[in-house]
Amino acid sequence: MTAQLINGNLLSQTIRADVAKRAAALTARGRQPGLAVVLVGDNPASQVYVRNKVKACEDNGLHSVMEKYDGDMTEAALLARIDALNKDPKIHGILVQLPLPAHIDAHKVIEAIAPEKDVDGFHVSNAGLLMTGQPLFRPCTPYGVMKMLESIDYPVRGANAVVVGASNIVGKPQAMLLLQAGATVTICNSKTRDLGAHTRRADILVVATGKRNLVTADMVKPGAVVIDVGMNRDDNGKLCGDVDFEKTKEVAGWITPVPGGVGPMTITMLLVNTIEAAERT
Ligand code: NAP
């Protein structure tokens, strides 16, 4: 059996067309949605991510501001910038690109973002709202995964979902969203004993660990939906996920590629969250 591909680029195009329409409608009412992206330091991967985010805003009619600071910026100076962005009526979403330099307390910075502008959904108040079933912002990557499941009309309700990875930005919110959609959810982490015993029971398997080839074909239930969030480099420097794609696509029912799977969806859902924030003002 060869799995059907869930193409994140294609799905993104459809969602971004709707984003552009909503952005134009808001702009016509004098409320162009605006996103501020804040980057501290010169991490090369972060620079690529923020450029892509700003470009996606420009391409779809959102206003965007990119604030780039040297790696020796003080925590106080960064907090002052966040405070200014919180008060800026042209800005509906604030994203601080992680990781921050070690001398800055990332937790403190995220908590300084006004929850109603926290388009990443990382603020504890947004994490709490998600946990209690009234999400204001859904973190972009898990939100994108849910849209992928929706795009194939997958019956999440009652399905066994296994999330491998338990970070605050992907694994945990992913598990919450799946749970709210009616799945029976298992969360695995690096201490999980016999990972394969869990993954083999999954109708929906979401893998977000940053460990190349952690999930192999023998760990996947035939016909399952396999969503690979991982972003790693192979020995030739090529982008790859956490799942052994070539062999797993012969077992799974649906699978996401890397690149071209979850990655583009994450940026798309950031645009959606920014639109939602602007629509609420
Ligand atoms: P993270 O904060 O490093 O968390 C990794 C999680 O994986 C942890 O919960 C860890 O368990 C778990 N883990 C590690 N080794 C494992 C193993 N052998 N078996 C089971 N679980 C294991 O990473 P993250 O920020 O969630 O990101 C995960 C991956 O997704 C990375 O490759 C990242 O680049 C990628 N990512 C992609 C996108 C996208 O848009 N495509 C967005 C965000 C992240 P412990 O809790 O026990 O440490």
Side-chain angles (χ1 to χ4, degrees), residues 141 164-167 169-171 188-191 195 208-211 214 229-232 242 262-263 266:
T141 301
V164 185
S167 70
I169 65 170
V170 188
C188 301
N189 60 25
S190 65
K191 297 97 184 169
L195 184 62
T209 64
K211 302 277 181 264
L214 178 70
V229 179
M231 283 203 297
N232 311 295
D242 293 350
V262 176
T266 296

Side-chain angles (χ1 to χ4, degrees), residues 224-247:
V225 187
V226 178
I227 310 262
D228 191 352
V229 179
M231 283 203 297
N232 311 295
R233 297 270 166 198
D234 70 11
D235 296 338
N236 303 315
K238 252 185 75 195
L239 201 61
C240 63
D242 293 350
V243 176
D244 176 359
F245 179 83
E246 283 309 318
K247 296 208 173 84

Side-chain angles (χ1 to χ4, degrees), residues 160-182:
N160 283 337
V162 175
V163 180
V164 185
S167 70
N168 289 333
I169 65 170
V170 188
K172 284 184 203 161
Q174 184 68 72
M176 282 303 137
L177 289 175
L178 286 163
L179 185 67
Q180 276 156 28

Side-chain angles (χ1 to χ4, degrees), residues 129-198:
L129 285 170
L130 177 65
M131 174 83 154
T132 50
Q134 324 144 62
L136 184 67
F137 293 109
R138 294 156 181 87
C140 303
T141 301
Y143 193 7
V145 170
M146 297 310 288
K147 287 284 169 195
M148 291 178 126
L149 293 171
E150 215 178 285
S151 76
I152 60 166
D153 277 331
Y154 196 85
V156 177
R157 194 184 161 99
N160 283 337
V162 175
V163 180
V164 185
S167 70
N168 289 333
I169 65 170
V170 188
K172 284 184 203 161
Q174 184 68 72
M176 282 303 137
L177 289 175
L178 286 163
L179 185 67
Q180 276 156 28
T184 301
V185 183
T186 303
I187 312 177
C188 301
N189 60 25
S190 65
K191 297 97 184 169
T192 298
R193 277 188 239 125
D194 195 356
L195 184 62
H198 294 280

